[in-house]
Structure formats: C-alpha cells, structure tokens
Amino acid sequence: NAGVMQNPRHLVRRRGQEARLRCSPMKGHSHVYWYRQLPEEGLKFMVYLQKENIIDESGMPKERFSAEFPKEGPSILRIQQVVRGDSAAYFCASSPSVRGVDEQYFGPGTRLTVT
Amino acid sequence: LAKTTQPISMDSYEGQEVNITCSHNNIATNDYITWYQQFPSQGPRFIIQGYKTKVTNEVASLFIPADRKSSTLSLPRVSLSDTAVYYCLVRTAGNKLTFGGGTRVLVKP
C-alpha cells in the first residue's frame, strides 16, 4: 500500500506566478489535510477536505490560496500570484476517517521556493 | 489565549529516557492527542496516540492526566537516531487542529 504521495517534491516559482501542489492520499483514505511549515518553524494547519467538500479552511489565507479534493484524482493546493513569503514546505496528510484527531499519514512534502 | 505549547529543545544522551510535555489547556472534550516525529526534509511520522491515562507501544509511552490539559511523550532509552523534532497535535475546543511548536531533541553519544 503506497503511502501519501505529493508532487512535485520541489517547486520553484517567480513572484506573481501560480503554484499547484498535488497530493494523492493513501488508498482507502477519504480525508485530506494540508499543512504549511515555514523555514525553521512548526507545522500550521491550513485546510481539511473530504471528497468534493471543504470541511475546514480556517487556516487558509483569505486571498490567493485555494484547495480542492475532487471525486477523482488528487487533492490540489493552489497558490495564485505567489510572493516570497509563500516559500515553505507544504505537507499533505490523509486519514481513513474523521474519528476526532485521527491518525494522519503524512506525505514527504512539497518545497516551494519563490524567487 | 489557549495555546498548545512544548519546550523548544531538549538534550539527552544515548540510553537515557526523554520526556516531552505538551500543554494543551483548550483541548476538545472528546478528542485524541497525537504525537509525531519529524526528521529534516521529511514529513512528520506518527508515533503514538491516546485519549486518557497511559498508552504504550513499541517505541514510546504517552501519559495523559485526568484533566487532559497536558500530555507527556516518553521515549525510553533513546539512541542517536531519535534526534528529531517532536510535535503534539490536538483539536481545540474551538474545533481547530493545532500542532505544538515542536521540541527539538538532540541525542548525544
């Protein structure tokens, strides 16, 4: 059973471009979480999604950021008009159910660098 | 302001026991406490999860007092490969998923 997959692993964008980060959850998992980790800092919750639904996006910046988890295909975190402050590692995690703070399985992350 | 806090860093020596406490004074009533380990340039890895009292698995123990406002991760007989950052994860009473700031554990030979 493959783990959580994220791609690309590294992404370089110039200021003003768009960044699209993909996450394929573990097989059988229908819950996806996105977290951001700034350099030398801890993990910050961004958004929690189930298939075709955003359950909690309280950690998402109000502008430029969006997320989706379609019925088919990976979850996508999209950052429009990137700025240098968006440079960070973005981690996706999946879980099989929403039993409270369920055991989440993390992907290897996408490291976004904005030049 | 409710916060989930951990010590920033902790040094230890091989073979010693390491105990890391996370304070989560605004934890949701019916939710678990989970601990993760993170190595540089990798995603967090699940260590242990518990709701109350004590939980033990092959790598760690988790102690949770009755009021559940804190939890202590115990790593027995650490080795050099346990050098990592350790995070607690809880859901607050406001239904927010919150990681602690992380504790950087350095195991020395």
Side-chain angles (χ1 to χ4, degrees):
Chain A
N1 188 10
V4 176
M5 298 172 65
Q6 290 187 248
N7 67 81
R9 293 292 307 278
H10 300 274
L11 182 61
V12 179
R13 285 287 178 266
R14 291 182 179 156
R15 279 181 299 170
Q17 291 185 319
E18 178 180 284
R20 291 171 71 89
L21 287 61
R22 294 174 184 78
C23 169
S24 297
M26 287 182 70
K27 187 177 180 182
H29 288 193
S30 58
H31 300 257
V32 166
Y33 306 78
W34 285 93
Y35 298 87
R36 178 164 66 174
Q37 188 170 37
L38 294 170
E40 302 301 317
E41 292 192 14
L43 295 139
K44 303 294 184 191
F45 167 77
M46 298 182 74
V47 62
Y48 161 42
L49 311 104
Q50 285 179 256
K51 285 282 187 182
E52 299 184 279
N53 285 306
I54 296 175
I55 307 301
D56 180 357
E57 57 181 347
S58 58
M60 288 274 272
K62 294 287 185 280
E63 296 178 350
R64 302 188 297 108
F65 285 72
S66 63
E68 62 176 9
F69 188 16
K71 186 176 180 180
E72 301 291 336
S75 175
I76 306 285
L77 178 67
R78 183 180 175 206
I79 311 172
Q80 294 178 295
Q81 298 174 322
V82 296
V83 300
R84 288 223 171 97
D86 296 332
S87 294
Y90 292 82
F91 291 99
C92 163
S94 72
S95 68
S97 69
V98 68
R99 186 205 66 185
V101 180
D102 215 348
E103 181 178 336
Q104 297 179 27
Y105 296 83
F106 281 79
T110 293
R111 276 148 190 84
L112 173 65
T113 302
V114 179
T115 61
Chain B
L1 178 66
K3 283 185 133 181
T4 305
T5 58
Q6 306 174 226
I8 292 174
S9 64
M10 198 171 281
D11 288 1
S12 183
Y13 290 92
E14 283 188 289
Q16 289 189 331
E17 179 180 84
V18 171
N19 296 304
I20 309 169
T21 297
C22 177
S23 297
H24 31 75
N25 61 0
N26 194 32
I27 188 172
T29 305
N30 297 316
D31 230 326
Y32 284 76
I33 298 157
T34 313
W35 282 80
Y36 291 85
Q37 176 191 55
Q38 187 180 30
F39 296 112
S41 301
Q42 294 186 23
R45 188 179 72 164
F46 173 87
I47 301 173
I48 196 166
Q49 183 179 70
Y51 180 74
K52 61 180 179 180
T53 63
K54 179 184 175 182
V55 178
T56 297
N57 63 21
E58 62 276 9
V59 298
S61 294
L62 181 60
F63 299 91
I64 305 167
D67 65 7
R68 298 189 356 107
K69 292 185 183 299
S70 67
S71 58
T72 299
L73 173 72
S74 180
L75 305 172
R77 298 179 300 280
V78 292
S79 63
L80 296 176
S81 62
D82 292 318
T83 292
V85 181
Y86 293 82
Y87 293 92
C88 60
L89 173 65
V90 301
R91 189 183 301 276
T92 69
N95 203 35
K96 303 299 179 192
L97 272 174
T98 304
F99 272 99
T103 299
R104 192 175 299 272
V105 172
L106 173 62
V107 180
K108 302 174 184 177

